[in-house]
Amino acid sequence: MLLTIDDALALVLERARPLAAEDVAVADAAGRVAAAAATAAVDLPPFDSSAMDGYAVRAGDTPGTLDVVGESAAGSPATRELRAGEAIRISTGAVVPAGADAVVPVERTNGANGAVRVESVVPGENVRPRGGDARAGEPVVAAGTRLGPVQVGALAGAGVTSVRCGRRPRVALLATGTELRRPGEPLAPGEIYESNTVMLAAQVRSANGEPAPLGTVADDEASTRSALGRGLEADVLLTSGGVSVGEHDLVRALLGSLGAEEVFWRVAVKPGKPVAFAVRGETLVFGLPGNPVSSLVGFELFVRPALLALQGLAGAAPAYLPGRLGSALRRNDARDELVRARVEPGGVLSPVSGQESHMIARAAAANALVLVPRGEGELAAGAEVSWLSL
Ligand code: AMP
Ligand code: MG
């Protein structure tokens, strides 16, 4: 029995311990994972603030005609407090003056000659209380949260300048294969263009890792061994190709000879069955199969979760979404399958044509990987499935 996707993922996550944390400027922190709760430096808002343009008043004086005795504009508070029978002109975001407890919106007033007629308001109306959004010292983002635009905006608003984040993993990328050429070079007979490390580097960046490309090595022991040796210095080493059962598949044996301990090889998944996972010291090593779609899928199932867990993300496992099949799909009886599909509005998933593991050009039409659990027969059109966004 081959290892299931879930069991293999559990073996990976057990070994993907958070890297050391570092301070990151909030302005640079989008995409990073907070290593500790980040707390507000000030009350937010820092003062009782007006929600409207209008007049600051005492609610008890309303309705009525009040003397306009000053102004509080955003950034320029009134110079004196408000007394009974008075109003102070106020703009949105300005300090509600001492003595006032409500704001009458300008639409509910009628002013002339230093006096204003105001409609009735209740205490607190149109006042945003100091600390109503967050209090100084309160957490704004929890530990283990990935910081997106909203989170960095919230931290900036709360006066935070830097945030403790998990270090970004350095990810060495190595392609193996005598047949591989760089795009732009002419192809001799039997050669193809190397695409996996280009794709993997983009995937690594999207998981906020730092890709360190090591280039391509031919299927010979000496050059593969020395490149693997360099790759093992990184936090994570991703290799492409050479993990299957062919005579020229050298990667696993060479990793072993370099002191890496293999945790698993082969998972009940299609494509990508020959994926290997090993560790040496703190370094995690993923041997991804060379077929480009196998490499794509192996990354999404195992490598992305590992990179996120290394950064300290809480809940680093792949985020499957619910959807429905747009058309029937035959199941594989032995392996769970990740089918390339287009997701249409409403979560309907239409498989793209061309599902073989070398068909990276066909996969380019997809924006989703649909999980088709192994089993007999087919999944009918309309069946509920889980899928990953690409
Ligand atoms: P392998 O896993 O080394 O047996 O390779 C399986 C298939 O993937 C073969 O057809 C290889 O030519 C192809 N392949 C291997 N590495 C790459 C790569 N880096 N880019 C594109 N195709 C590759
Ligand atoms: Mg190969």
Side-chain angles (χ1 to χ4, degrees):
M1 270 290 276
L2 286 177
L3 204 57
T4 65
I5 294 174
D6 284 348
D7 290 345
L9 177 63
L11 291 170
V12 169
L13 291 179
E14 263 170 41
R15 287 158 180 86
R17 300 255 151 264
L19 301 171
E22 60 189 9
D23 289 323
V24 179
V26 165
D28 299 326
R32 304 289 298 262
V33 178
T39 55
V42 295
D43 288 337
L44 190 61
F47 47 85
D48 288 347
S49 149
S50 178
M52 294 291 225
D53 293 322
Y55 290 87
V57 298
R58 295 183 176 194
D61 288 347
T62 69
T65 301
L66 306 173
D67 292 335
V68 180
V69 297
E71 180 179 10
S72 178
S76 302
T79 49
R80 77 167 181 76
E81 69 177 52
L82 183 115
R83 299 191 200 107
E86 295 177 347
I88 288 180
R89 216 146 40 95
I90 194 164
S91 37
T92 305
V95 176
V96 175
D101 62 4
V103 171
V104 189
V106 71
E107 298 86 340
R108 290 163 58 193
T109 67
N110 210 323
N113 305 332
V116 65
R117 166 108 210 124
V118 300
E119 294 177 17
S120 161
V121 285
V122 297
E125 197 168 335
N126 298 313
V127 177
R128 301 163 170 172
R130 171 177 182 162
D133 191 4
R135 291 222 169 264
E138 263 180 12
V140 176
V141 299
T145 309
R146 189 154 186 204
L147 304 174
V150 180
Q151 288 72 33
V152 294
L155 290 170
V160 178
T161 54
S162 89
V163 56
R164 207 90 190 123
C165 292
R167 185 164 67 71
R168 297 175 64 191
R170 278 188 311 277
V171 184
L173 299 170
L174 178 67
T176 73
T178 305
E179 74 280 24
L180 302 175
R181 286 294 158 269
R182 236 203 284 256
E185 293 175 357
L187 290 180
E191 294 181 342
I192 61 168
Y193 288 120
E194 197 285 299
S195 61
N196 288 348
T197 64
V198 176
M199 176 172 62
L200 289 167
Q203 287 174 299
V204 166
R205 270 187 228 104
S206 75
N208 222 45
E210 284 177 4
L214 297 176
T216 299
V217 289
D219 295 310
D220 78 73
E221 282 198 23
S223 49
T224 305
R225 171 184 253 280
S226 93
L228 290 173
R230 271 180 289 140
L232 284 164
E233 303 300 318
D235 297 310
V236 178
L237 167 58
L238 298 186
T239 65
S240 151
V243 288
S244 202
V245 291
E247 226 179 293
H248 302 286
D249 292 334
L250 308 170
V251 170
R252 294 173 54 232
L254 289 174
L255 282 171
S257 77
L258 288 162
E261 178 205 328
E262 190 164 88
V263 178
F264 64 73
W265 174 54
R266 301 210 294 188
V267 174
V269 59
K270 183 181 177 196
K273 177 169 97 170
V275 60
F277 174 58
V279 292
R280 193 186 77 171
E282 300 294 297
T283 302
L284 307 182
V285 188
F286 294 87
L288 298 170
N291 274 306
V293 183
S294 306
S295 171
L296 168 80
V297 167
F299 184 95
E300 294 302 329
L301 294 182
F302 306 116
V303 183
R304 182 183 300 281
L307 298 183
L308 296 174
L310 288 172
Q311 292 169 74
L313 187 75
Y320 286 96
L321 299 164
R324 285 178 184 284
L325 280 185
S327 53
L329 271 183
R330 169 155 299 285
R331 294 202 273 181
N332 185 290
D333 59 1
R335 290 187 277 161
D336 296 337
E337 193 165 351
L338 278 300
V339 170
R340 278 70 70 209
R342 274 212 73 78
V343 58
E344 311 297 350
V348 175
L349 296 144
S350 304
V352 302
S353 71
Q355 291 285 334
E356 289 169 60
S357 62
H358 65 288
M359 292 183 161
I360 192 65
R362 300 297 187 92
N367 58 5
L369 290 175
V370 181
L371 177 64
V372 177
R374 74 193 122 157
E376 300 300 326
E378 54 174 41
L379 285 184
E384 288 182 14
V385 287
S386 314
W387 59 282
L388 292 175
S389 179
L390 278 179

